[in-house]
């Protein structure tokens, strides 16, 4: 008996958390649907913007979050508090953070293993950059949605390249 089984690939969705627009959102959601339609899965960093669009779309298509891995630098409670205290800066609003908290809470409730909470308690840019290492570690290839040469997105792309991951999609936007 011949048995051909396609191994599920984990696709890292990386992109700008702060400044997006309807074009970026449409592109991310379309790419997420295509990845999930192929039976593959999404890895992302649990931020607003690109990460949020990918997580939200993944949950719409796969409510049990089995094809989703979200990596945040600390436990969920600390992460949302850090967002509220340090990242609620224009154009990010309290509504964006509430939406993010809701989607992350839902992921943790329906499939706790889909939300990877790293053990850091002091959260600075260093911990966010360490999260990029974990994203790369759990991924087979990268879809990047880079707005205005975003340095965080570039950090993830550079780490992925260094690890030998293909950057399958790299869309650049100027907003």
């Amino acid at each position: 008996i011949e048995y051909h089984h396609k191994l599920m690939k984990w696709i890292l969705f990386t992109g700008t958390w702060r400044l997006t627009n309807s074009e970026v959102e449409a592109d991310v959601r379309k790419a997420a649907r295509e990845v999930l339609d192929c039976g593959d899965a999404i890895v992302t960093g649990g931020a607003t913007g690109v990460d949020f669009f990918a997580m939200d779309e993944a949950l719409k298509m796969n409510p049990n979050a089995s094809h989703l891995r979200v990596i945040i630098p600390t436990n969920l409670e600390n992460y949302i508090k850090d967002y509220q205290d340090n990242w609620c800066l224009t154009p990010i609003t309290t509504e964006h953070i509430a939406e993010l908290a809701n989607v992350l809470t839902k992921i943790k409730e329906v499939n706790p293993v889909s939300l990877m909470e790293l053990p850091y308690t002091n959260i600075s840019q260093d911990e966010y950059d360490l999260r990029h290492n974990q994203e790369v570690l759990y991924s087979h290839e990268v879809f990047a949605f880079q707005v205005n040469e975003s340095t965080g997105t570039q950090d993830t792309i550079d780490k992925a390249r260094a690890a030998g991951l293909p950057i399958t999609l790299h869309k650049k936007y100027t907003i």
Side-chain angles (χ1 to χ4, degrees), residues 39-73:
D40 290 329
I42 293 172
V43 176
T44 196
T48 50
V50 168
D51 294 359
F52 175 82
F53 304 143
M55 291 183 294
D56 187 55
E57 202 61 36
L59 280 177
K60 285 178 184 174
M61 292 186 66
N62 189 328
N64 67 3
S66 62
H67 285 60
L68 185 60
R69 177 172 284 131
V70 180
I71 304 171
I72 57 176

Side-chain angles (χ1 to χ4, degrees), residues 10-162:
W10 290 87
I11 313 300
L12 172 55
F13 276 61
T14 185
T16 310
W17 63 271
R18 183 178 294 174
L19 189 60
T20 62
N21 62 16
S22 57
E23 180 190 5
V24 175
E25 180 173 358
D27 287 350
V28 172
R29 289 182 182 277
K30 178 177 185 277
R33 286 190 301 273
E34 289 171 357
V35 164
L36 295 165
D37 280 343
C38 290
D40 290 329
I42 293 172
V43 176
T44 196
T48 50
V50 168
D51 294 359
F52 175 82
F53 304 143
M55 291 183 294
D56 187 55
E57 202 61 36
L59 280 177
K60 285 178 184 174
M61 292 186 66
N62 189 328
N64 67 3
S66 62
H67 285 60
L68 185 60
R69 177 172 284 131
V70 180
I71 304 171
I72 57 176
T74 187
N75 68 55
L76 182 55
E77 187 181 342
N78 285 349
Y79 184 65
I80 295 304
K81 184 173 182 344
D82 185 57
Y83 241 96
Q84 291 165 336
D85 293 348
N86 298 309
W87 306 108
C88 191
L89 310 162
T90 303
I92 300 301
T93 64
T94 53
E95 290 78 20
H96 290 118
I97 296 170
E99 289 174 341
L100 179 66
N102 287 341
V103 80
L104 290 171
T105 300
K106 182 176 181 185
I107 291 164
K108 189 172 182 173
E109 286 171 358
V110 299
N111 193 350
V113 297
S114 289
L115 182 67
M116 181 183 289
E117 299 167 288
L118 297 179
Y120 307 114
T121 49
N122 174 40
I123 315 165
S124 69
Q125 190 57 51
D126 289 341
E127 283 69 35
Y128 283 97
D129 290 345
L130 288 169
R131 177 195 59 193
H132 299 161
N133 297 340
Q134 293 298 311
E135 292 171 341
V136 167
L137 186 65
Y138 283 97
S139 301
H140 296 103
E141 57 188 82
V142 177
F143 284 14
F145 302 85
Q146 190 170 24
V147 176
N148 299 345
E149 302 295 324
S150 159
T151 55
T153 306
Q154 192 61 51
D155 182 63
T156 306
I157 290 167
D158 293 345
K159 287 174 175 171
R161 277 202 181 110

